[in-house]
């Protein structure tokens, strides 16, 4: 199972778990499974079918935008990190 690393800002959706395991084959499937129980979380991550611009997702430390985007394949030994940009002053 792939490991999804959850940033502290999103842990309220995982009962404060920093890591969850998912049996998935792609980044898109992982994020949809992660957000399937919360419309609020889904809207935070996605705008329509596209990942929001301020959300960065990495597979094993590499930005998926440099790979195959949401179609990037994952396997049991992969770690997927969600990084939410923070803005403000």
């Amino acid at each position: 199972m792939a490991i999804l690393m959850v940033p502290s800002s999103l842990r309220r959706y995982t009962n404060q778990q920093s890591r969850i395991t998912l049996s998935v084959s792609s980044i898109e499937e992982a994020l949809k499974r992660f957000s399937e129980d919360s419309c609020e979380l889904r809207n935070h991550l996605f705008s329509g079918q596209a990942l929001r611009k301020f959300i960065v997702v990495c597979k094993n430390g590499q930005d998926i935008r440099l790979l195959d985007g949401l179609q990037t394949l994952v396997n049991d030994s992969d770690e997927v990190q969600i990084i939410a940009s923070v803005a403000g002053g």
Side-chain angles (χ1 to χ4, degrees), residues 1-3 6-7 9 11-14 16-17 22 33-34 40 42 45 48 53 69 71 73 75-76 78 80:
M1 291 194 176
I3 297 171
V6 182
S9 62
R11 289 183 192 159
R12 65 180 178 221
Y13 301 105
T14 63
Q16 300 305 315
Q17 294 179 39
L22 298 169
R33 290 269 313 280
F34 174 58
E40 181 182 358
R42 172 128 175 80
L45 297 175
K53 292 181 182 186
Q71 304 313 309
L73 299 178
N75 61 45
D76 290 349
D78 289 328
V80 176

Side-chain angles (χ1 to χ4, degrees), residues 39-57:
C39 287
E40 181 182 358
L41 176 57
R42 172 128 175 80
N43 289 334
H44 180 76
L45 297 175
F46 292 94
S47 176
Q49 296 298 314
L51 201 57
R52 291 198 181 270
K53 292 181 182 186
F54 61 87
I55 301 292
V56 176
V57 178

Side-chain angles (χ1 to χ4, degrees), residues 5 29 32:
M5 308 298 288
E29 187 180 2
K32 286 185 176 182

